[in-house]
Amino acid sequence: MSGGFPIDLILFAMVAAFLVLRLRSVLGKRQGYERPPATPGMPEARSARIEAVTDDVAPARSDSVRRVLPITSSQAGQALSRIAAADPAFEPNAFLDGAEGAFRMIVAAFAQGDRQTLRSLLSDDTYAGFEQAVTARENAGETQRTELRAMQEIAIEGAALTGNIAEVTVRFVSDQVNITTRNQEIVAGADAVTEVVDIWSFQRDVSQKDPTWKLAATRSA
């Protein structure tokens, strides 16, 4: 084995950096209108039920993943219009695309203990909670395995514009496998697909040039 620096590691780092930058760009694009397992210490943001779509929401488009946007006259729809007025680059369907990408990256990063990715996509307070959970898992000698098998639904449930701070709350319904092991023995979860509901709130200062929306809060359905 030669003593040279491994080129494959350099290429892997470049690809990872590109993916993060690409996600940040998509999540910040114009939006016209408008969970991991029960690991101790991680903010709870899941439920085993799917909430019914009400008259306040309407399907955004039809594809393999059901996407739902608030109707224009709803409170959330009006808030999304105000966000679009404050930020001409805001468009809801593109936002949902970026939110899905962020969801996938954050779920994977939490399971892998990837603090760098979490740091780039989470607000300071939210990152502190996730980092504490990752540290506790490491100290306990535990390993987390999360497989996101399918995304069923992504829906904007709420929105607000307070001063320059825009906030959009999204419900994610997905099929996941979550297992926590210690010394190769399962201590939590099971090797079975479970439907999971996460409700995450993303925030961005619309007065800033940085287009990144960061995960600012998680809660149960």
Side-chain angles (χ1 to χ4, degrees):
M1 179 176 180
S2 65
F5 193 84
I7 299 301
D8 56 340
L9 291 182
I10 298 177
L11 294 175
F12 179 79
M14 291 174 65
V15 171
F18 171 78
L19 289 175
V20 172
L21 290 174
R22 176 62 178 167
L23 170 64
R24 295 178 67 175
S25 173
V26 171
L27 194 53
K29 282 186 178 179
R30 172 176 170 75
Q31 311 292 315
Y33 250 51
E34 340 257 334
R35 84 335 60 126
T39 303
M42 179 171 182
E44 182 67 22
R46 57 195 65 79
S47 170
R49 64 189 178 85
I50 299 179
E51 298 181 4
V53 177
T54 69
D55 291 338
D56 288 336
V57 295
R61 66 189 186 195
S62 58
D63 56 20
S64 59
V65 180
R66 175 177 168 79
R67 282 173 163 77
V68 181
L69 299 179
I71 61 174
T72 309
S73 59
S74 68
Q75 184 176 2
Q78 292 175 9
L80 290 173
S81 295
R82 291 193 294 273
I83 294 173
D87 177 14
F90 180 76
E91 196 284 313
N93 282 305
F95 175 87
L96 285 181
D97 288 341
E100 180 182 355
F103 178 83
R104 291 177 179 276
M105 291 183 69
I106 292 170
V107 167
F110 176 77
Q112 297 163 7
D114 181 354
R115 291 175 173 82
Q116 183 175 358
T117 296
L118 292 175
R119 175 70 282 180
S120 69
L121 296 173
L122 275 57
S123 68
D124 292 342
D125 289 344
T126 304
Y127 174 77
F130 276 60
E131 200 281 332
Q132 183 179 23
V134 170
T135 298
R137 190 174 64 210
E138 292 173 345
N139 291 339
E142 297 175 348
T143 300
Q144 175 70 41
R145 177 166 71 88
T146 296
E147 297 178 13
L148 182 56
R149 294 292 181 86
M151 186 70 70
Q152 301 295 341
E153 180 179 283
I154 307 173
I156 292 181
E157 289 210 324
L161 180 63
T162 306
N164 293 325
I165 305 301
E167 177 173 308
V168 180
T169 298
V170 182
R171 182 178 74 248
F172 301 93
V173 180
S174 61
D175 294 335
Q176 301 183 24
V177 174
N178 290 282
I179 301 176
T180 301
T181 60
R182 184 191 305 122
N183 298 325
Q184 298 185 337
E185 300 225 351
I186 296 176
V187 296
D191 192 10
V193 177
T194 302
E195 183 181 90
V196 177
V197 178
D198 294 278
I199 298 180
W200 289 6
S201 293
F202 296 90
Q203 288 185 351
R204 189 176 91 78
D205 186 338
V206 295
S207 68
Q208 301 299 313
K209 293 182 179 180
D210 184 356
T212 307
W213 289 76
K214 293 195 173 186
L215 177 61
T218 64
R219 62 182 175 84
S220 57

